[in-house]
Amino acid sequence: MTLNWTIGSVQEALRAGTISARELTQDFYARIAQRNPELNAYLALSPERAYAQADRVDAALASGEPLRPLSGVAIAIKDVISTKGIRTTCGSRILEHYTPVYSATAVERLTEAGAVVLGKTNCDEFAMGSSNENSAYGAVRNPVALDRVPGGSSGGSAAAVAAGLAVVALGTDTGGSVRQPGACCGIPALMPTYGRVSRYGLIAFASSLDRIGTFARTVADSAVVMSVIAGHDANDSTSAPIPAPDYVAELQKPVRGLRIGVPEEYFGPGLDPEVRSKVEAGIVLLERLGCRRIPLRMPHTDYAIAAYYLIATAEASSNLARFDGVRYGLRVPGATLRDMYGKTRQRGFGAEVKRRIMLGTYALSAGYYDAYYLRAQKVRTLIAQDFAEAFEKVDAIVTPTAPTPAFKLGERTSDPLQMYLADIFTVTGSLAGIPGISIPCGNSSRGLPVGMQIFGPHFSEGRVMQLAHAFENAGGFSN
Amino acid sequence: MKISREDVLRVAELAHLELPPTEVDTYREQLDSILTYVAKLEELDDSKVEPMAQVLFGAQGDAHPELREDQLAPCTIADDVLSGAPDAVKPFFRVPKVIDR
């Protein structure tokens, strides 16, 4: 079987009758059985549901019904997104035996569109990490280079798509957790505007930052998935009441004449020289496609990691208070209620989650709130203003996705701060609420993928994908 | 030093984390290094800056200021929810003793 299925080729094969949805699903599970022991990309498989859905697709085809946008398309779902009846652990021991009683809106919409959910993918615990090494269920290996991390926190979703263990996958991005693993694994990875995709059923890490995003083998596939999952949802009060455009149609718009901002602050001394040269070459390719390069200054970029790690941890300390051994998940018995809380959370949470809960609790505590949390929220305003001012002059902003290609497993686990710096170019867009995509722009001399990031103004994911699509078609990912 | 051993113990208590004594010093060092790093925010003059309270404030998507209608809907999943709890006696979650008397 080919490893390179796209939504288009799946649907063409189904229409031509060269393969059925059931056979396709069987092929994916066979491939997962072969590769997953090594990659550890999937934490749970849902074959019963997948085959039932595949059979519905085959029956619909047999009765002459038209295909839906994702009919028969094998999809993987990050394990922080709720799936009714399928174990959902968030990569944490505290939810080891948790099975949601409802599905996320995004999952419902995918299923209605005909997608076949293969299973749940590994991730850093509660999406907190940049390497997938914070999963309670073991690290994921990068399919491109097995001794390296796949990035994080959506490492399992990125690895699954890159290794051909799913056609597309959902991830979540709070500070870079879709874009950075996309860069590490060499596939397009889209974070839409905050509020564009419902967060209903996404188990919260940092509510003002969390977004559901996509992994795919092509930008065109990202556009199909985004068209299905985007749009208002009454169950998420932060969901934007703006109808989703047809992103597939938007891909065809010409990129000639678009103004591309290149902010100097993203090309400083910390940037790996090979990443710099690949992204520079990517910008030149965009210029050849008729885009106009405009140098930019975004003076608050260097403060983004500091602001992000205060805001995200503050929100996490509040959101994760719900894991207390009462309503779901692990309970460790204790003599009193407080005793039970303390023991349950100590045993259930891993080191990074505890570190972030404590940092966030500290930043919000009496006497420190103004110095840490409030100050970070003000700096968030300054970073959002940098983007707002830039978008008066440019249509999109191009940067590296991450300062280095995928690093080695174990290389950064002893130094949390060093790990945080992997997100230095992605957290800015997270704080500003704007959309961003990481698109492969070549490989390092060791054969490791390099990602180029394209940001656009709020609700411009169509334009962001349009640029990435033109770049991809122009051969931007080849060396 | 930004954070003391006592601060760590206090924060752990607030966050309901029963840290073993062996972990306290490691967390203190790591939190101290992170807090030292984030102190760079003090370099900025933010005296005239409003904190960002809404992600899409003023943006195109900030179009839902009106509150939705308060509509009653039956909750049909209570039994399912309780069946996932570590200790439930319908219709309650059961917890250890809260009040001593």
Side-chain angles (χ1 to χ4, degrees):
Chain A
M1 136 189 181
T2 172
L3 298 179
N4 298 320
W5 287 110
T6 60
I7 295 169
S9 68
V10 164
Q11 300 218 320
E12 210 172 291
L14 290 176
R15 260 191 224 103
T18 52
I19 195 164
S20 68
R22 173 170 271 270
E23 287 164 341
L24 202 55
T25 305
Q26 282 168 340
D27 281 354
F28 272 102
Y29 278 127
R31 176 92 185 138
I32 290 168
Q34 187 194 348
R35 289 298 308 278
N36 201 53
E38 174 177 62
L39 296 175
N40 199 26
Y42 281 92
L43 293 178
L45 298 174
S46 46
E48 240 174 77
R49 279 151 200 280
Y51 286 125
Q53 174 82 341
D55 289 346
R56 275 193 290 275
V57 170
D58 287 332
L61 264 170
S63 66
E65 284 175 40
L67 290 175
R68 282 171 289 165
L70 294 170
S71 288
V73 173
I75 185 161
I77 309 288
K78 185 182 183 182
D79 210 27
V80 294
I81 300 173
S82 301
T83 43
K84 185 177 180 178
I86 308 173
R87 191 178 80 131
T88 298
T89 68
C90 296
S92 180
R93 286 281 168 223
I94 210 161
L95 290 179
E96 188 169 0
H97 304 293
Y98 172 65
T99 303
V101 297
Y102 70 104
S103 285
T105 299
V107 173
E108 292 284 4
R109 289 185 182 178
L110 290 170
T111 306
E112 279 160 31
V116 176
V117 175
L118 295 177
K120 305 300 290 289
T121 44
N122 204 345
C123 55
D124 285 297
E125 185 175 3
F126 289 103
M128 297 180 190
S130 309
S131 71
N132 216 119
E133 292 166 295
N134 295 334
S135 167
Y137 306 99
V140 174
R141 288 177 184 274
N142 189 324
V144 182
L146 293 172
D147 61 336
R148 298 201 177 242
V149 303
S153 65
S154 312
S157 289
V161 172
L165 308 186
V167 179
V168 288
L170 291 189
T172 62
D173 195 315
T174 303
S177 285
V178 163
R179 292 160 288 159
Q180 185 257 11
C184 288
C185 293
I187 52 173
L190 174 74
M191 170 188 71
T193 307
Y194 182 80
R196 181 77 285 189
V197 176
S198 169
R199 290 187 294 114
Y200 183 69
L202 161 57
I203 297 172
F205 155 19
S207 306
S208 80
L209 296 156
D210 291 345
R211 306 183 216 172
I212 290 178
T214 61
F215 296 96
R217 303 189 69 86
T218 65
V219 178
D221 279 3
S222 315
V224 176
V225 177
M226 196 47 61
S227 295
V228 168
I229 62 175
H232 183 247
D233 176 15
N235 285 333
D236 172 4
S237 61
T238 59
S239 157
I242 300 172
D246 178 352
Y247 293 115
V248 180
E250 297 219 345
L251 293 181
Q252 304 312 322
K253 290 188 186 167
V255 299
R256 178 163 295 282
L258 288 179
R259 297 161 302 169
I260 303 298
V262 181
E264 176 180 320
E265 289 79 3
Y266 288 73
F267 294 84
L271 182 61
D272 177 281
E274 287 198 288
V275 173
R276 177 196 308 273
S277 74
K278 291 295 167 192
V279 174
E280 276 293 343
I283 295 165
V284 170
L285 179 56
L286 286 172
E287 286 182 281
R288 284 216 301 273
L289 293 170
C291 299
R292 207 144 49 85
R293 175 193 186 125
I294 295 177
L296 285 179
R297 295 298 307 269
M298 302 190 74
H300 300 100
T301 303
D302 194 35
Y303 299 93
I305 287 276
Y308 171 81
Y309 275 95
L310 288 169
I311 293 166
T313 58
E315 294 187 20
S317 72
S318 169
N319 273 325
L320 271 64
R322 63 172 59 91
F323 301 105
D324 58 5
V326 174
R327 287 155 296 169
Y328 28 61
L330 178 73
R331 170 183 294 192
V332 178
T336 63
L337 186 64
R338 284 197 69 108
D339 191 34
M340 185 274 283
Y341 288 160
K343 287 186 161 66
T344 299
R345 289 162 62 79
Q346 165 61 23
R347 179 140 5 128
F349 289 140
E352 179 62 23
V353 171
K354 284 189 272 184
R355 194 151 44 232
R356 293 201 194 188
I357 288 173
M358 286 193 282
L359 181 61
T361 304
Y362 184 72
L364 289 175
S365 63
Y368 297 101
Y369 178 91
D370 285 1
Y372 290 111
Y373 183 71
L374 189 67
R375 193 190 300 273
Q377 288 285 55
K378 289 180 174 181
V379 175
R380 187 175 187 180
T381 299
L382 293 172
I383 289 164
Q385 281 172 356
D386 274 2
F387 278 104
E389 283 164 24
F391 287 129
E392 285 171 13
K393 290 175 276 191
V394 301
D395 301 299
I397 293 173
V398 177
T399 76
T401 306
T404 67
F407 41 91
K408 287 205 164 128
L409 286 155
E411 196 177 295
R412 297 193 190 177
T413 42
S414 60
D415 185 350
L417 188 56
Q418 197 54 36
M419 188 71 89
Y420 296 173
L421 294 174
D423 300 332
I424 192 161
F425 301 141
T426 48
V427 291
T428 49
S430 302
L431 290 166
I434 57 171
I437 194 168
S438 177
I439 177 90
C441 68
N443 290 333
S444 74
S445 51
R446 290 170 184 272
L448 301 172
V450 174
M452 183 173 89
Q453 179 173 239
I454 306 173
F455 283 132
H458 292 127
F459 299 101
S460 72
E461 35 282 294
R463 184 194 302 159
V464 162
M465 284 191 274
Q466 170 201 350
L467 274 162
H469 178 69
F471 182 79
E472 184 182 71
N473 279 350
F477 52 85
S478 63
N479 278 298
Chain B
M1 196 173 80
K2 293 277 177 191
I3 188 166
S4 68
R5 204 169 190 283
E6 290 63 42
D7 289 334
V8 173
L9 290 170
R10 173 71 185 139
V11 164
E13 191 193 349
L14 285 172
H16 293 306
L17 290 167
E18 197 178 293
L19 291 191
T22 49
E23 291 182 15
V24 176
D25 287 325
T26 312
Y27 281 121
R28 197 211 64 75
E29 277 168 42
Q30 290 170 336
L31 292 173
D32 198 61
S33 120
I34 297 164
L35 289 169
T36 303
Y37 175 80
V38 302
K40 74 193 293 177
L41 297 183
E42 292 165 22
E43 295 166 14
L44 294 170
D45 175 12
D46 58 14
S47 53
K48 294 192 179 65
V49 184
E50 287 296 315
M52 186 161 155
Q54 289 286 331
V55 183
L56 296 174
F57 187 77
Q60 193 193 350
D62 184 32
H64 48 100
E66 72 282 3
L67 297 172
R68 67 166 171 79
E69 288 295 308
D70 185 17
Q71 290 160 333
L72 291 179
C75 174
T76 55
I77 58 169
D79 283 356
D80 291 343
V81 169
L82 284 165
S83 70
D87 186 6
V89 182
K90 287 172 188 175
F92 301 113
F93 298 110
R94 193 158 59 178
V95 295
K97 196 156 77 168
V98 183
I99 303 164
D100 250 330
R101 48 167 123 214

